[in-house]
C-alpha cells in the first residue's frame, strides 16, 4: 500500500519513522563484514579494530574499456593511475574529514587512503567503525585480515638441477638471443636477498624498485627465503654455467608483503599497498616504471572459495598491461577437485598449477573448476617439484609447491617480452595458453596444458612453424596435412600458424577466416624447401 496517498497522522508518522530507523540499521549492518559485526556488538565501544573501509565509487570499473590498441603501456598506465587517483580524491573528501576528526579525538589512527580500490585502512574504535559504516558513501567495512605464508611441500626430485628449464624449452629462446633483456619482473613476497650473487646485479635499483611497508627499508632483504627463491626462478643465474632463472637477463623489482615473523605474516592492507605501488613505483605515472609482470606465490588459504578482495587491484594492473601471475594453490588432500584459491581465481589473474619432472600434475596442485565462475582452472601448469633456485646466504636449494611453478610463467612472459617488446599482456597470455604441451583441450587439472615458452614464441612470431620447434620444415607440412584429413587434432598453435593463405604483396602470409586447408599446406611446403620466404 502506498502510504503517501493518506493523510499524515501523528501515529502514522511515528510508524514511518520507526520503519525508516529499522531500515537504516539493516543497511548499516549489511555494510559490515558479518563476523566483524558480531565482534563490534560484543566489544566495548573503545576497543580498537583494524579495518578496511571501501567506498561505493570505483574508477577501476571503468578503466579497461577506454584502452586503445595504439595506446602505449606507459600512456595507458598514466591514464589509469590518473583516473584512479582522481576518483579517489573526489569521492573520499567527506570521509577524509571525518577520519581526521576521529584521529584528533583519539578514536582512530593509522589512517591510510588508497586509490587502487578507493578506500581506507584504519584502526578505529568499535563505535567509530559502526559510524563509518552508516555513511552513505561507504560500500562495506571488512577486517584487515592477517594470514600466514603457506608452508611449502617437501622438495624431492631425481631429475637434473635444470630439468625445469629444459622442460619449458627456455634454452631454445636463449639460443635465439632472447634472455629477458629489456623486461622487468616483480614479485609480492617475503622480500629478496640482494646479497645473493645470482640476483643482486639484476635489481633495477633506485628508490622505485623496492617497497617495504613494514620497515621502510631502502635496500631489498629477505629473512624467509621464499621471495628469494621465487625471484630466482624468474631471473637468477645465467645461460651458461649457472642455469637457474627462466629470463636471466631481465631486471627485477619487488614489494615485501610479508613481515619477518616465523611464519611470515601479511595483512590485506599491506598487499593493497604493494599492488598500488606496482602501478606507479615512483609516484609519477609519466615515467613508466611499472613492471611487465608480477608473480604472486601466495594465496588467501581459501580452497574452493572465491574472495574478491584484490579483484579491483588485479583489474587495474591488467588494464595497465601488467600480467598478474598467481599460484593455483597448494592443497593437503591429493587430487581434490574444486580447490581453486584467491587471488588466483580472481578475474584477470593467471593461475598456475605444478607438474613434476615426469610431466604429471603434483598431488598438491589445486584443481578446478574456478570458484568464481566455474571456468577451467588453473590456466596452465609448470614445473613445481624439486626446483633448484636461490636461497639465503648465497646458497641454492630445491623447492616444491605451486609457489615455485608460477614464477616459471612470469619468467616466460619476460622472455616473450624481450623477443616481442610491444607484446601486450593479453597477447602474452593468449600465446601461452595456445602453445602448450600435450593439450587435449582445457581441463581442471592441467588447465590449457603444460608451459612451453618456445612454442609460445612460435605462436607469436613464426607463421608456418606449427609444432613450435623454431623451424619450418617437412614435419610442419605433415602435421598440417594430417590435421586437414582429421588424423591429428588441431590446436591453438596450428590454427594460428598454419592459417597463412594468401600471401600479401609484401610476400607475407595474410591468413583467412576459414579453417586450415590444402592451400596453407602448400605455402608451408614451399617455405620449407626454400621456394618462398617471409
Amino acid at each position: 500500500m502506498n502510504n503517501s496517498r493518506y493523510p499524515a497522522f501523528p501515529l502514522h508518522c511515528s510508524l514511518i519513522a520507526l520503519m525508516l530507523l529499522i531500515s537504516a540499521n539493516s543497511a548499516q549492518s549489511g555494510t559490515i563484514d558479518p563476523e566483524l559485526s558480531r565482534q563490534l556488538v560484543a566489544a566495548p565501544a573503545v576497543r580498537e579494530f583494524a579495518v578496511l573501509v571501501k567506498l561505493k565509487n570505483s574508477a577501476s570499473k571503468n578503466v579497461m574499456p577506454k584502452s586503445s590498441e595504439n595506446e602505449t603501456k606507459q600512456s595507458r598506465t598514466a591514464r589509469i593511475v590518473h583516473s584512479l587517483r582522481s576518483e579517489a580524491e573526489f569521492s573520499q573528501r567527506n570521509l577524509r574529514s571525518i577520519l581526521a576528526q576521529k584521529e584528533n579525538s583519539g578514536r582512530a589512527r593509522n589512517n591510510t587512503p588508497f586509490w587502487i580500490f578507493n578506500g581506507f585502512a584504519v584502526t578505529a574504535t568499535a563505535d567509530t567503525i559502526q559510524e563509518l559504516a552508516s555513511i552513505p558513501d561507504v560500500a562495506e567495512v571488512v577486517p584487515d585480515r592477517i594470514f600466514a605464508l603457506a608452508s611449502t611441500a617437501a622438495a624431492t626430485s631425481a631429475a637434473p638441477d635444470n630439468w625445469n628449464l629444459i622442460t619449458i624449452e627456455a634454452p631454445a629462446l636463449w639460443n635465439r638471443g632472447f634472455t629477458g633483456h629489456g623486461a622487468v619482473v616483480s614479485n609480492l613476497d617475503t622480500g629478496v636477498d640482494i646479497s645473493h650473487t645470482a640476483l643482486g646485479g639484476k635489481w633495477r635499483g633506485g628508490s622505485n624498485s623496492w617497497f617495504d611497508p613494514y620497515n621502510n627499508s631502502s635496500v631489498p632483504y629477505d629473512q624467509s627465503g621464499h621471495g628469494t627463491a621465487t625471484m630466482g626462478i624468474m631471473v637468477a643465474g645465467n645461460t651458461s654455467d649457472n642455469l637457474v632463472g627462466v629470463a636471466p637477463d631481465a631486471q627485477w623489482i619487488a614489494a615485501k608483503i610479508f613481515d619477518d615473523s616465523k611464519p611470515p605474516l601479511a595483512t590485506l592492507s599491506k598487499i593493497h599497498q604493494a599492488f598500488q605501488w606496482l602501478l606507479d613505483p615512483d609516484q609519477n605515472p609519466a615515467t613508466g616504471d611499472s613492471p611487465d609482470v608480477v608473480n604472486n606465490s601466495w594465496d588467501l588459504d581459501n580452497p574452493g572459495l572465491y574472495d574478491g578482495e584484490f579483484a579491483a587491484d588485479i583489474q587495474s594492473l591488467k588494464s595497465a598491461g601488467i600480467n598478474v601471475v598467481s599460484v593455483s594453490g597448494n592443497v593437503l588432500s591429493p587430487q581434490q577437485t574444486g580447490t581453486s584459491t584467491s587471488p588466483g581465481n580472481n578475474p584477470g589473474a593467471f593461475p598456475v598449477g605444478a607438474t613434476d619432472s615426469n610431466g604429471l600434475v603434483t598431488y598438491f596442485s589445486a584443481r578446478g573448476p574456478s570458484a568464481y565462475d566455474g571456468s577451467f582452472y588453473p590456466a596452465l601448469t609448470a614445473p613445481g617439484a624439486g626446483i633448484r633456485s636461490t636461497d639465503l646466504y648465497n646458497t641454492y636449494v630445491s623447492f616444491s609447491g605451486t609457489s615455485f611453478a608460477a614464477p616459471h610463467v612470469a619468467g616466460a612472459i619476460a622472455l616473450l617480452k624481450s623477443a616481442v617488446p610491444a607484446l601486450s599482456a593479453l597477447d602474452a597470455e593468449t600465446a601461452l595458453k595456445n602453445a602448450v604441451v600435450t593439450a587435449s583441450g582445457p581441463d581442471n587439472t592441467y588447465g590449457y596444458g603444460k608451459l612451453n615458452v618456445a612454442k609460445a614464441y612460435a605462436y607469436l612470431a613464426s607463421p608456418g612453424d606449427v609444432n613450435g620447434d623454431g623451424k619450418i620444415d617437412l614435419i610442419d607440412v605433415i602435421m598440417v596435412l594430417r590435421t586437414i584429413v582429421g588424423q591429428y587434432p588441431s590446436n591453438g598453435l596450428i590454427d594460428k600458424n598454419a592459417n597463412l593463405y594468401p600471401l600479401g604483396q609484401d610476400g607475407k602470409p595474410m591468413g583467412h577466416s576459414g579453417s586450415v586447408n590444402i592451400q596453407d599446406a602448400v605455402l608451408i611446403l614451399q617455405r620449407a624447401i626454400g621456394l618462398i620466404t617471409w
Side-chain angles (χ1 to χ4, degrees):
M1 180 178 294
N2 187 344
N3 291 322
S4 63
R5 297 179 184 177
Y6 295 88
F9 295 104
L11 177 60
H12 184 65
C13 290
S14 299
L15 290 172
I16 291 177
L18 179 60
M19 292 172 65
L20 289 174
L21 180 60
I22 293 173
S23 176
N25 287 337
S26 298
Q28 175 180 324
S29 62
T31 62
I32 303 178
D33 173 84
E35 177 58 30
L36 174 61
S37 181
R38 286 191 288 270
Q39 293 181 32
L40 294 175
V41 170
V46 295
R47 179 184 168 187
E48 292 185 331
F49 294 82
V51 297
L52 298 177
V53 181
K54 302 179 182 182
L55 276 64
K56 293 177 180 177
N57 294 329
S58 175
S60 65
K61 297 178 180 178
N62 305 313
V63 294
M64 288 187 72
K66 298 176 184 176
S67 294
S68 118
E69 289 185 3
N70 298 323
E71 193 176 24
T72 65
K73 179 175 179 286
Q74 181 175 335
S75 62
R76 182 167 59 251
T77 301
R79 173 180 54 77
I80 290 169
V81 171
H82 175 75
S83 177
L84 291 170
R85 282 178 171 162
S86 297
E87 176 64 33
E89 183 177 352
F90 176 79
S91 59
Q92 292 177 7
R93 289 179 299 178
N94 180 42
L95 200 54
R96 284 176 188 264
S97 176
I98 294 173
L99 286 173
Q101 295 173 11
K102 296 299 180 182
E103 285 186 318
N104 291 335
S105 64
R107 306 191 77 79
R109 58 187 177 88
N110 298 336
N111 170 26
T112 303
F114 288 88
W115 44 263
I116 196 165
F117 71 87
N118 197 9
F120 297 81
V122 63
T123 299
T125 58
D127 58 344
T128 296
I129 292 171
Q130 291 172 325
E131 181 180 341
L132 293 174
S134 67
I135 298 173
D137 293 337
V138 173
E140 62 176 339
V141 179
V142 300
D144 189 4
R145 287 176 284 157
I146 301 173
F147 64 96
L149 178 65
S151 59
T152 59
T156 56
S157 176
D161 283 344
N162 61 341
W163 73 266
N164 52 317
L165 302 175
I166 296 171
T167 296
I168 68 170
E169 292 199 64
L173 264 68
W174 300 347
N175 293 337
R176 288 173 171 262
F178 306 130
T179 56
H181 181 74
V184 178
V185 304
S186 61
N187 68 359
L188 305 189
D189 216 300
T190 60
V192 180
D193 182 2
I194 197 172
S195 68
H196 201 295
T197 55
L199 286 170
K202 300 172 186 189
W203 181 46
R204 187 175 67 182
S207 60
N208 63 341
S209 299
W210 168 246
F211 179 66
D212 176 7
Y214 296 97
N215 306 302
N216 293 316
S217 58
S218 59
V219 177
Y221 77 98
D222 182 12
Q223 292 191 3
S224 162
H226 189 272
T228 298
T230 60
M231 187 61 76
I233 295 167
M234 288 188 273
V235 302
N238 54 43
T239 62
S240 56
D241 61 355
N242 189 19
L243 309 183
V244 181
V246 177
D249 285 336
Q251 291 184 309
W252 62 266
I253 65 175
K256 182 179 176 63
I257 62 169
F258 290 95
D259 67 12
D260 297 326
S261 302
K262 296 182 183 301
L265 302 175
T267 64
L268 300 181
S269 60
K270 300 301 186 190
I271 299 175
H272 279 300
Q273 283 182 272
F275 274 126
Q276 183 169 284
W277 174 80
L278 283 176
L279 263 181
D280 188 15
D282 66 352
Q283 300 185 51
N284 179 5
T287 57
D289 58 346
S290 60
D292 295 301
V293 58
V294 56
N295 181 76
N296 298 288
S297 286
W298 52 272
D299 63 31
L300 295 178
D301 192 23
N302 62 332
L305 300 174
Y306 172 76
D307 188 327
E309 179 62 41
F310 301 109
D313 308 53
I314 293 170
Q315 180 183 353
S316 296
L317 265 66
K318 280 295 294 293
S319 300
I322 303 171
N323 290 100
V324 183
V325 178
S326 297
V327 296
S328 68
N330 294 338
V331 294
L332 298 177
S333 301
Q335 301 181 1
Q336 185 174 342
T337 60
T339 49
S340 72
T341 62
S342 303
N345 57 18
N346 283 194
F350 198 82
V352 182
T355 52
D356 61 22
S357 58
N358 295 315
L360 301 177
V361 70
T362 62
Y363 71 90
F364 53 76
S365 186
R367 292 156 170 78
S370 168
Y372 170 67
D373 59 3
S375 59
F376 292 113
Y377 185 95
L380 288 183
T381 51
I387 307 300
R388 176 179 179 264
S389 189
T390 43
D391 197 15
L392 302 182
Y393 315 115
N394 208 37
T395 61
Y396 298 86
V397 174
S398 288
F399 299 89
S400 291
T402 55
S403 282
F404 311 105
H408 287 84
V409 172
I413 290 172
L415 282 186
L416 295 177
K417 287 288 290 187
S418 70
V420 187
L423 183 66
S424 70
L426 179 60
D427 287 345
E429 293 180 2
T430 299
L432 290 171
K433 290 191 293 187
N434 281 284
V436 290
V437 177
T438 59
S440 57
D443 60 32
N444 285 313
T445 300
Y446 293 90
Y448 280 82
K450 292 177 280 188
L451 171 67
N452 187 294
V453 67
K455 291 182 183 293
Y457 171 73
Y459 179 91
L460 291 168
S462 301
D465 180 9
V466 299
N467 65 350
D469 66 355
K471 300 176 290 185
I472 300 175
D473 52 24
L474 293 179
I475 295 177
D476 297 298
V477 178
I478 294 171
M479 286 186 65
V480 171
L481 290 173
R482 291 183 62 193
T483 300
I484 292 172
V485 299
Q487 293 182 354
Y488 189 89
S490 187
N491 57 46
L493 187 56
I494 293 175
D495 288 343
K496 180 177 182 296
N497 281 5
N499 194 322
L500 306 174
Y501 183 86
L503 298 181
Q505 293 183 351
D506 59 358
K508 296 181 179 180
M510 296 177 61
H512 51 83
S513 59
S515 58
V516 175
N517 57 45
I518 194 65
Q519 293 170 310
D520 299 304
V522 170
L523 283 181
I524 296 175
L525 175 62
Q526 291 175 323
R527 176 67 169 77
I529 62 178
L531 293 180
I532 59 175
T533 60
W534 55 67

